[in-house]
Amino acid sequence: RESEARFRQLAEALPQIVYTLPAAGGDDTEYLNPRWYEYTGMPPGTSYRDAAEGVVHPDDLALVRERWAEAADTGTLVEMEIRLRRHDGRYRWFITRIVPIKDADGRIVRWFGTSTDIQAQKEAEAELAAAVAERTRELERSNRELDQFAYVASHDLKGPLRGIDNLASWIAEDAEEHLPEASRRHLDLLQGRVRRMEALLDSLLVYSRAGRLTGLAEDVDTAALVQAVVELLDAPDAFTFEVEGDLPTLTTYRAPLELVFRNLLSNAVKHADRPDLRVRVWAEDEGAGVPPGFVRFAVSDDGPGIPVAYHERVFGLFQTLRPRDEVEGSGMGLAVVKKTVESLGGTIRVESTPGAGATLYFTWPRRL
């Protein structure tokens, strides 16, 4: 009796609806705390059996019966989110949990349940879902506009550039016998600037699309992928490319990973300051900085290296370490790499000492 009295004192002080049911479960209750009557507006003493059909939302009755049937068979916890009608006729969401109370022999002697109002949570979830959906639509619209802008900019700007290049070629041909050497160099410089602008427009288009992945993931042998990229590089014969250890096979999008390796390897070639450059590639699947489910790749060279002040800046747009007249490039390769890697949850960083080469590490998920 003292235990029962303490239970009732506690149950009547709680803000949740609290009730107990007999061992057989069913439609009746042994006890309902005052919150039930306050919420439903029913007079004290009204049994659950007489009220449940009218209080539980009609669309949730089948779920209630299904969960009770499972609990009766297994003797385990009942948990469900259902709507209960309030005294003013409005329905609110509740999370209902009913647990079996067992004796020393493991027999169920009663069920103890609570129903907690989660209407505010449900409304917040609905608002968040609506906000996410609207934000997704905005991003999709923005991406379409960006694609259209990048295409138009590339197409419309390349036309005049080709015209400038043609004019420079015609001038060089028509006045070949009369042009001084300085003017020839200026025309060559002009045509070089045109080619650089075309490359920049192409890079802008690639950057605008980086991170938006399409298609199906496939098994990619990264060792074979690296070898294929190396074969396409316009590298001097004296350069060496080495794969150290075994590179993994990933279930991923092939094109973005190929883009990353192509940019990193071509950068090493482009900035080489010696005729016998050595480039190494390896992979690690454990250790500091390798999150679960990811692989860390490294592309290392023994070239001129990158000053510490540029270790972060090299991943920005239009960043180059050497004048563009010395090394042709848009200054966007590593920005594209960073955007692509981060779109799949990875990271990229550089370790380098000037004069001692550079190593770029990036992480990539094993499976998408």
PDB file of all heavy atoms in Angstrom, residues 199-233:
ATOM      1  N   ALA A 199      41.708  29.414 -71.169  1.00  0.00           N
ATOM      2  CA  ALA A 199      41.893  28.413 -70.110  1.00  0.00           C
ATOM      3  C   ALA A 199      41.192  28.849 -68.831  1.00  0.00           C
ATOM      4  O   ALA A 199      40.604  28.031 -68.107  1.00  0.00           O
ATOM      5  CB  ALA A 199      43.381  28.188 -69.847  1.00  0.00           C
ATOM      6  N   LEU A 200      41.229  30.148 -68.549  1.00  0.00           N
ATOM      7  CA  LEU A 200      40.570  30.659 -67.356  1.00  0.00           C
ATOM      8  C   LEU A 200      39.057  30.467 -67.448  1.00  0.00           C
ATOM      9  O   LEU A 200      38.411  30.061 -66.478  1.00  0.00           O
ATOM     10  CB  LEU A 200      40.906  32.140 -67.171  1.00  0.00           C
ATOM     11  CG  LEU A 200      40.258  32.847 -65.970  1.00  0.00           C
ATOM     12  CD1 LEU A 200      40.658  32.168 -64.672  1.00  0.00           C
ATOM     13  CD2 LEU A 200      40.650  34.319 -65.951  1.00  0.00           C
ATOM     14  N   LEU A 201      38.490  30.731 -68.604  1.00  0.00           N
ATOM     15  CA  LEU A 201      37.052  30.535 -68.788  1.00  0.00           C
ATOM     16  C   LEU A 201      36.677  29.064 -68.623  1.00  0.00           C
ATOM     17  O   LEU A 201      35.663  28.729 -68.010  1.00  0.00           O
ATOM     18  CB  LEU A 201      36.627  31.047 -70.162  1.00  0.00           C
ATOM     19  CG  LEU A 201      36.671  32.567 -70.352  1.00  0.00           C
ATOM     20  CD1 LEU A 201      36.432  32.927 -71.817  1.00  0.00           C
ATOM     21  CD2 LEU A 201      35.644  33.248 -69.464  1.00  0.00           C
ATOM     22  N   ASP A 202      37.512  28.173 -69.189  1.00  0.00           N
ATOM     23  CA  ASP A 202      37.260  26.744 -69.012  1.00  0.00           C
ATOM     24  C   ASP A 202      37.334  26.358 -67.539  1.00  0.00           C
ATOM     25  O   ASP A 202      36.511  25.576 -67.043  1.00  0.00           O
ATOM     26  CB  ASP A 202      38.275  25.920 -69.808  1.00  0.00           C
ATOM     27  CG  ASP A 202      38.046  26.022 -71.301  1.00  0.00           C
ATOM     28  OD1 ASP A 202      36.911  26.338 -71.709  1.00  0.00           O
ATOM     29  OD2 ASP A 202      39.013  25.810 -72.061  1.00  0.00           O
ATOM     30  N   SER A 203      38.296  26.912 -66.811  1.00  0.00           N
ATOM     31  CA  SER A 203      38.453  26.599 -65.394  1.00  0.00           C
ATOM     32  C   SER A 203      37.275  27.115 -64.579  1.00  0.00           C
ATOM     33  O   SER A 203      36.827  26.470 -63.630  1.00  0.00           O
ATOM     34  CB  SER A 203      39.764  27.187 -64.859  1.00  0.00           C
ATOM     35  OG  SER A 203      40.873  26.589 -65.488  1.00  0.00           O
ATOM     36  N   LEU A 204      36.774  28.292 -64.936  1.00  0.00           N
ATOM     37  CA  LEU A 204      35.602  28.830 -64.238  1.00  0.00           C
ATOM     38  C   LEU A 204      34.402  27.905 -64.411  1.00  0.00           C
ATOM     39  O   LEU A 204      33.631  27.680 -63.475  1.00  0.00           O
ATOM     40  CB  LEU A 204      35.268  30.227 -64.771  1.00  0.00           C
ATOM     41  CG  LEU A 204      36.108  31.382 -64.236  1.00  0.00           C
ATOM     42  CD1 LEU A 204      35.803  32.656 -65.012  1.00  0.00           C
ATOM     43  CD2 LEU A 204      35.822  31.599 -62.747  1.00  0.00           C
ATOM     44  N   LEU A 205      34.252  27.376 -65.609  1.00  0.00           N
ATOM     45  CA  LEU A 205      33.142  26.465 -65.864  1.00  0.00           C
ATOM     46  C   LEU A 205      33.298  25.190 -65.044  1.00  0.00           C
ATOM     47  O   LEU A 205      32.338  24.699 -64.454  1.00  0.00           O
ATOM     48  CB  LEU A 205      33.089  26.133 -67.363  1.00  0.00           C
ATOM     49  CG  LEU A 205      31.842  25.403 -67.865  1.00  0.00           C
ATOM     50  CD1 LEU A 205      30.594  26.234 -67.591  1.00  0.00           C
ATOM     51  CD2 LEU A 205      31.956  25.113 -69.351  1.00  0.00           C
ATOM     52  N   VAL A 206      34.524  24.657 -64.980  1.00  0.00           N
ATOM     53  CA  VAL A 206      34.777  23.456 -64.175  1.00  0.00           C
ATOM     54  C   VAL A 206      34.513  23.736 -62.703  1.00  0.00           C
ATOM     55  O   VAL A 206      33.886  22.944 -62.000  1.00  0.00           O
ATOM     56  CB  VAL A 206      36.226  22.965 -64.380  1.00  0.00           C
ATOM     57  CG1 VAL A 206      36.567  21.854 -63.388  1.00  0.00           C
ATOM     58  CG2 VAL A 206      36.418  22.458 -65.798  1.00  0.00           C
ATOM     59  N   TYR A 207      34.988  24.893 -62.223  1.00  0.00           N
ATOM     60  CA  TYR A 207      34.804  25.232 -60.801  1.00  0.00           C
ATOM     61  C   TYR A 207      33.331  25.380 -60.463  1.00  0.00           C
ATOM     62  O   TYR A 207      32.884  24.962 -59.387  1.00  0.00           O
ATOM     63  CB  TYR A 207      35.544  26.529 -60.472  1.00  0.00           C
ATOM     64  CG  TYR A 207      35.450  26.902 -59.007  1.00  0.00           C
ATOM     65  CD1 TYR A 207      36.274  26.296 -58.078  1.00  0.00           C
ATOM     66  CD2 TYR A 207      34.528  27.837 -58.574  1.00  0.00           C
ATOM     67  CE1 TYR A 207      36.180  26.614 -56.730  1.00  0.00           C
ATOM     68  CE2 TYR A 207      34.426  28.162 -57.237  1.00  0.00           C
ATOM     69  CZ  TYR A 207      35.255  27.558 -56.322  1.00  0.00           C
ATOM     70  OH  TYR A 207      35.150  27.866 -54.984  1.00  0.00           O
ATOM     71  N   SER A 208      32.549  25.964 -61.345  1.00  0.00           N
ATOM     72  CA  SER A 208      31.123  26.158 -61.060  1.00  0.00           C
ATOM     73  C   SER A 208      30.401  24.836 -60.907  1.00  0.00           C
ATOM     74  O   SER A 208      29.382  24.750 -60.214  1.00  0.00           O
ATOM     75  CB  SER A 208      30.472  26.989 -62.173  1.00  0.00           C
ATOM     76  OG  SER A 208      30.334  26.235 -63.365  1.00  0.00           O
ATOM     77  N   ARG A 209      30.925  23.797 -61.549  1.00  0.00           N
ATOM     78  CA  ARG A 209      30.259  22.497 -61.502  1.00  0.00           C
ATOM     79  C   ARG A 209      30.881  21.549 -60.486  1.00  0.00           C
ATOM     80  O   ARG A 209      30.314  20.494 -60.199  1.00  0.00           O
ATOM     81  CB  ARG A 209      30.300  21.849 -62.886  1.00  0.00           C
ATOM     82  CG  ARG A 209      29.469  22.605 -63.912  1.00  0.00           C
ATOM     83  CD  ARG A 209      29.681  22.071 -65.317  1.00  0.00           C
ATOM     84  NE  ARG A 209      28.787  22.727 -66.261  1.00  0.00           N
ATOM     85  CZ  ARG A 209      28.879  22.600 -67.581  1.00  0.00           C
ATOM     86  NH1 ARG A 209      29.837  21.842 -68.098  1.00  0.00           N
ATOM     87  NH2 ARG A 209      28.025  23.229 -68.371  1.00  0.00           N
ATOM     88  N   ALA A 210      32.041  21.905 -59.949  1.00  0.00           N
ATOM     89  CA  ALA A 210      32.713  21.034 -58.977  1.00  0.00           C
ATOM     90  C   ALA A 210      31.854  20.869 -57.741  1.00  0.00           C
ATOM     91  O   ALA A 210      31.260  21.815 -57.244  1.00  0.00           O
ATOM     92  CB  ALA A 210      34.073  21.617 -58.595  1.00  0.00           C
ATOM     93  N   GLY A 211      31.782  19.645 -57.240  1.00  0.00           N
ATOM     94  CA  GLY A 211      31.022  19.387 -56.019  1.00  0.00           C
ATOM     95  C   GLY A 211      29.603  18.938 -56.264  1.00  0.00           C
ATOM     96  O   GLY A 211      28.951  18.422 -55.367  1.00  0.00           O
ATOM     97  N   ARG A 212      29.095  19.122 -57.496  1.00  0.00           N
ATOM     98  CA  ARG A 212      27.752  18.633 -57.802  1.00  0.00           C
ATOM     99  C   ARG A 212      27.918  17.342 -58.594  1.00  0.00           C
ATOM    100  O   ARG A 212      28.223  17.351 -59.774  1.00  0.00           O
ATOM    101  CB  ARG A 212      26.967  19.680 -58.597  1.00  0.00           C
ATOM    102  CG  ARG A 212      26.434  20.778 -57.690  1.00  0.00           C
ATOM    103  CD  ARG A 212      25.696  21.829 -58.464  1.00  0.00           C
ATOM    104  NE  ARG A 212      26.623  22.695 -59.166  1.00  0.00           N
ATOM    105  CZ  ARG A 212      26.413  23.171 -60.393  1.00  0.00           C
ATOM    106  NH1 ARG A 212      25.340  22.825 -61.053  1.00  0.00           N
ATOM    107  NH2 ARG A 212      27.282  23.967 -60.956  1.00  0.00           N
ATOM    108  N   LEU A 213      27.736  16.236 -57.881  1.00  0.00           N
ATOM    109  CA  LEU A 213      28.089  14.934 -58.440  1.00  0.00           C
ATOM    110  C   LEU A 213      26.859  14.251 -59.004  1.00  0.00           C
ATOM    111  O   LEU A 213      25.786  14.256 -58.397  1.00  0.00           O
ATOM    112  CB  LEU A 213      28.722  14.069 -57.351  1.00  0.00           C
ATOM    113  CG  LEU A 213      29.900  14.740 -56.627  1.00  0.00           C
ATOM    114  CD1 LEU A 213      30.363  13.885 -55.474  1.00  0.00           C
ATOM    115  CD2 LEU A 213      31.046  14.986 -57.593  1.00  0.00           C
ATOM    116  N   THR A 214      27.018  13.659 -60.159  1.00  0.00           N
ATOM    117  CA  THR A 214      25.919  12.940 -60.792  1.00  0.00           C
ATOM    118  C   THR A 214      26.405  11.566 -61.227  1.00  0.00           C
ATOM    119  O   THR A 214      27.591  11.272 -61.203  1.00  0.00           O
ATOM    120  CB  THR A 214      25.401  13.716 -62.017  1.00  0.00           C
ATOM    121  OG1 THR A 214      26.484  13.907 -62.935  1.00  0.00           O
ATOM    122  CG2 THR A 214      24.838  15.071 -61.604  1.00  0.00           C
ATOM    123  N   GLY A 215      25.467  10.753 -61.660  1.00  0.00           N
ATOM    124  CA  GLY A 215      25.820   9.414 -62.109  1.00  0.00           C
ATOM    125  C   GLY A 215      25.791   8.412 -60.969  1.00  0.00           C
ATOM    126  O   GLY A 215      25.311   8.683 -59.876  1.00  0.00           O
ATOM    127  N   LEU A 216      26.312   7.229 -61.249  1.00  0.00           N
ATOM    128  CA  LEU A 216      26.306   6.138 -60.278  1.00  0.00           C
ATOM    129  C   LEU A 216      27.714   5.867 -59.783  1.00  0.00           C
ATOM    130  O   LEU A 216      28.695   5.958 -60.536  1.00  0.00           O
ATOM    131  CB  LEU A 216      25.728   4.876 -60.930  1.00  0.00           C
ATOM    132  CG  LEU A 216      24.272   4.958 -61.403  1.00  0.00           C
ATOM    133  CD1 LEU A 216      23.888   3.665 -62.128  1.00  0.00           C
ATOM    134  CD2 LEU A 216      23.327   5.207 -60.236  1.00  0.00           C
ATOM    135  N   ALA A 217      27.797   5.527 -58.503  1.00  0.00           N
ATOM    136  CA  ALA A 217      29.091   5.129 -57.949  1.00  0.00           C
ATOM    137  C   ALA A 217      29.479   3.772 -58.542  1.00  0.00           C
ATOM    138  O   ALA A 217      28.624   2.936 -58.819  1.00  0.00           O
ATOM    139  CB  ALA A 217      29.018   5.058 -56.428  1.00  0.00           C
ATOM    140  N   GLU A 218      30.774   3.580 -58.722  1.00  0.00           N
ATOM    141  CA  GLU A 218      31.271   2.322 -59.278  1.00  0.00           C
ATOM    142  C   GLU A 218      32.567   1.946 -58.564  1.00  0.00           C
ATOM    143  O   GLU A 218      33.168   2.756 -57.858  1.00  0.00           O
ATOM    144  CB  GLU A 218      31.528   2.465 -60.780  1.00  0.00           C
ATOM    145  CG  GLU A 218      32.529   3.570 -61.109  1.00  0.00           C
ATOM    146  CD  GLU A 218      32.737   3.729 -62.608  1.00  0.00           C
ATOM    147  OE1 GLU A 218      33.283   2.788 -63.221  1.00  0.00           O
ATOM    148  OE2 GLU A 218      32.341   4.776 -63.146  1.00  0.00           O
ATOM    149  N   ASP A 219      32.985   0.706 -58.731  1.00  0.00           N
ATOM    150  CA  ASP A 219      34.255   0.273 -58.150  1.00  0.00           C
ATOM    151  C   ASP A 219      35.396   0.860 -58.984  1.00  0.00           C
ATOM    152  O   ASP A 219      35.480   0.620 -60.194  1.00  0.00           O
ATOM    153  CB  ASP A 219      34.341  -1.252 -58.137  1.00  0.00           C
ATOM    154  CG  ASP A 219      33.383  -1.876 -57.132  1.00  0.00           C
ATOM    155  OD1 ASP A 219      32.950  -1.158 -56.207  1.00  0.00           O
ATOM    156  OD2 ASP A 219      33.065  -3.068 -57.281  1.00  0.00           O
ATOM    157  N   VAL A 220      36.252   1.627 -58.320  1.00  0.00           N
ATOM    158  CA  VAL A 220      37.351   2.306 -59.011  1.00  0.00           C
ATOM    159  C   VAL A 220      38.684   1.806 -58.439  1.00  0.00           C
ATOM    160  O   VAL A 220      38.958   1.974 -57.247  1.00  0.00           O
ATOM    161  CB  VAL A 220      37.245   3.837 -58.845  1.00  0.00           C
ATOM    162  CG1 VAL A 220      38.441   4.517 -59.507  1.00  0.00           C
ATOM    163  CG2 VAL A 220      35.932   4.349 -59.420  1.00  0.00           C
ATOM    164  N   ASP A 221      39.469   1.187 -59.288  1.00  0.00           N
ATOM    165  CA  ASP A 221      40.823   0.765 -58.929  1.00  0.00           C
ATOM    166  C   ASP A 221      41.705   2.008 -58.994  1.00  0.00           C
ATOM    167  O   ASP A 221      42.073   2.476 -60.082  1.00  0.00           O
ATOM    168  CB  ASP A 221      41.299  -0.299 -59.910  1.00  0.00           C
ATOM    169  CG  ASP A 221      42.708  -0.809 -59.595  1.00  0.00           C
ATOM    170  OD1 ASP A 221      43.434  -0.135 -58.829  1.00  0.00           O
ATOM    171  OD2 ASP A 221      43.091  -1.853 -60.135  1.00  0.00           O
ATOM    172  N   THR A 222      42.059   2.571 -57.847  1.00  0.00           N
ATOM    173  CA  THR A 222      42.766   3.855 -57.853  1.00  0.00           C
ATOM    174  C   THR A 222      44.191   3.724 -58.401  1.00  0.00           C
ATOM    175  O   THR A 222      44.727   4.693 -58.941  1.00  0.00           O
ATOM    176  CB  THR A 222      42.796   4.478 -56.444  1.00  0.00           C
ATOM    177  OG1 THR A 222      43.385   3.564 -55.514  1.00  0.00           O
ATOM    178  CG2 THR A 222      41.394   4.821 -55.990  1.00  0.00           C
ATOM    179  N   ALA A 223      44.797   2.555 -58.277  1.00  0.00           N
ATOM    180  CA  ALA A 223      46.129   2.372 -58.866  1.00  0.00           C
ATOM    181  C   ALA A 223      46.049   2.490 -60.387  1.00  0.00           C
ATOM    182  O   ALA A 223      46.879   3.161 -61.016  1.00  0.00           O
ATOM    183  CB  ALA A 223      46.701   1.022 -58.458  1.00  0.00           C
ATOM    184  N   ALA A 224      45.056   1.842 -60.988  1.00  0.00           N
ATOM    185  CA  ALA A 224      44.885   1.930 -62.437  1.00  0.00           C
ATOM    186  C   ALA A 224      44.495   3.349 -62.854  1.00  0.00           C
ATOM    187  O   ALA A 224      44.925   3.836 -63.910  1.00  0.00           O
ATOM    188  CB  ALA A 224      43.812   0.936 -62.890  1.00  0.00           C
ATOM    189  N   LEU A 225      43.704   4.013 -62.011  1.00  0.00           N
ATOM    190  CA  LEU A 225      43.297   5.385 -62.317  1.00  0.00           C
ATOM    191  C   LEU A 225      44.505   6.317 -62.345  1.00  0.00           C
ATOM    192  O   LEU A 225      44.666   7.126 -63.273  1.00  0.00           O
ATOM    193  CB  LEU A 225      42.289   5.865 -61.271  1.00  0.00           C
ATOM    194  CG  LEU A 225      41.737   7.282 -61.450  1.00  0.00           C
ATOM    195  CD1 LEU A 225      40.879   7.359 -62.708  1.00  0.00           C
ATOM    196  CD2 LEU A 225      40.917   7.694 -60.242  1.00  0.00           C
ATOM    197  N   VAL A 226      45.386   6.201 -61.349  1.00  0.00           N
ATOM    198  CA  VAL A 226      46.584   7.036 -61.294  1.00  0.00           C
ATOM    199  C   VAL A 226      47.473   6.762 -62.510  1.00  0.00           C
ATOM    200  O   VAL A 226      48.004   7.685 -63.137  1.00  0.00           O
ATOM    201  CB  VAL A 226      47.360   6.799 -59.983  1.00  0.00           C
ATOM    202  CG1 VAL A 226      48.742   7.447 -60.042  1.00  0.00           C
ATOM    203  CG2 VAL A 226      46.567   7.340 -58.799  1.00  0.00           C
ATOM    204  N   GLN A 227      47.628   5.494 -62.869  1.00  0.00           N
ATOM    205  CA  GLN A 227      48.459   5.141 -64.022  1.00  0.00           C
ATOM    206  C   GLN A 227      47.902   5.754 -65.305  1.00  0.00           C
ATOM    207  O   GLN A 227      48.653   6.269 -66.142  1.00  0.00           O
ATOM    208  CB  GLN A 227      48.538   3.618 -64.164  1.00  0.00           C
ATOM    209  CG  GLN A 227      49.417   3.139 -65.304  1.00  0.00           C
ATOM    210  CD  GLN A 227      50.864   3.591 -65.152  1.00  0.00           C
ATOM    211  OE1 GLN A 227      51.403   3.639 -64.044  1.00  0.00           O
ATOM    212  NE2 GLN A 227      51.503   3.943 -66.266  1.00  0.00           N
ATOM    213  N   ALA A 228      46.558   5.725 -65.440  1.00  0.00           N
ATOM    214  CA  ALA A 228      45.937   6.306 -66.634  1.00  0.00           C
ATOM    215  C   ALA A 228      46.149   7.812 -66.688  1.00  0.00           C
ATOM    216  O   ALA A 228      46.393   8.380 -67.771  1.00  0.00           O
ATOM    217  CB  ALA A 228      44.444   5.979 -66.644  1.00  0.00           C
ATOM    218  N   VAL A 229      46.075   8.481 -65.535  1.00  0.00           N
ATOM    219  CA  VAL A 229      46.311   9.928 -65.494  1.00  0.00           C
ATOM    220  C   VAL A 229      47.752  10.244 -65.868  1.00  0.00           C
ATOM    221  O   VAL A 229      48.026  11.175 -66.641  1.00  0.00           O
ATOM    222  CB  VAL A 229      45.970  10.487 -64.094  1.00  0.00           C
ATOM    223  CG1 VAL A 229      46.437  11.941 -63.964  1.00  0.00           C
ATOM    224  CG2 VAL A 229      44.474  10.393 -63.822  1.00  0.00           C
ATOM    225  N   VAL A 230      48.707   9.471 -65.336  1.00  0.00           N
ATOM    226  CA  VAL A 230      50.124   9.701 -65.623  1.00  0.00           C
ATOM    227  C   VAL A 230      50.392   9.575 -67.120  1.00  0.00           C
ATOM    228  O   VAL A 230      51.148  10.361 -67.713  1.00  0.00           O
ATOM    229  CB  VAL A 230      51.007   8.728 -64.817  1.00  0.00           C
ATOM    230  CG1 VAL A 230      52.450   8.763 -65.322  1.00  0.00           C
ATOM    231  CG2 VAL A 230      50.949   9.059 -63.331  1.00  0.00           C
ATOM    232  N   GLU A 231      49.783   8.582 -67.757  1.00  0.00           N
ATOM    233  CA  GLU A 231      50.014   8.355 -69.180  1.00  0.00           C
ATOM    234  C   GLU A 231      49.519   9.514 -70.037  1.00  0.00           C
ATOM    235  O   GLU A 231      50.006   9.722 -71.156  1.00  0.00           O
ATOM    236  CB  GLU A 231      49.332   7.054 -69.609  1.00  0.00           C
ATOM    237  CG  GLU A 231      50.013   5.816 -69.043  1.00  0.00           C
ATOM    238  CD  GLU A 231      49.243   4.545 -69.339  1.00  0.00           C
ATOM    239  OE1 GLU A 231      48.157   4.647 -69.963  1.00  0.00           O
ATOM    240  OE2 GLU A 231      49.708   3.452 -68.958  1.00  0.00           O
ATOM    241  N   LEU A 232      48.555  10.258 -69.526  1.00  0.00           N
ATOM    242  CA  LEU A 232      48.014  11.387 -70.288  1.00  0.00           C
ATOM    243  C   LEU A 232      48.771  12.687 -70.038  1.00  0.00           C
ATOM    244  O   LEU A 232      48.534  13.683 -70.729  1.00  0.00           O
ATOM    245  CB  LEU A 232      46.527  11.588 -69.935  1.00  0.00           C
ATOM    246  CG  LEU A 232      45.570  10.483 -70.398  1.00  0.00           C
ATOM    247  CD1 LEU A 232      44.167  10.753 -69.873  1.00  0.00           C
ATOM    248  CD2 LEU A 232      45.548  10.392 -71.921  1.00  0.00           C
ATOM    249  N   LEU A 233      49.650  12.708 -69.043  1.00  0.00           N
ATOM    250  CA  LEU A 233      50.398  13.924 -68.734  1.00  0.00           C
ATOM    251  C   LEU A 233      51.470  14.178 -69.785  1.00  0.00           C
ATOM    252  O   LEU A 233      52.093  13.249 -70.306  1.00  0.00           O
ATOM    253  CB  LEU A 233      51.072  13.807 -67.360  1.00  0.00           C
ATOM    254  CG  LEU A 233      50.162  13.777 -66.135  1.00  0.00           C
ATOM    255  CD1 LEU A 233      50.995  13.570 -64.877  1.00  0.00           C
ATOM    256  CD2 LEU A 233      49.354  15.069 -66.019  1.00  0.00           C
TER     257      LEU A 233
END
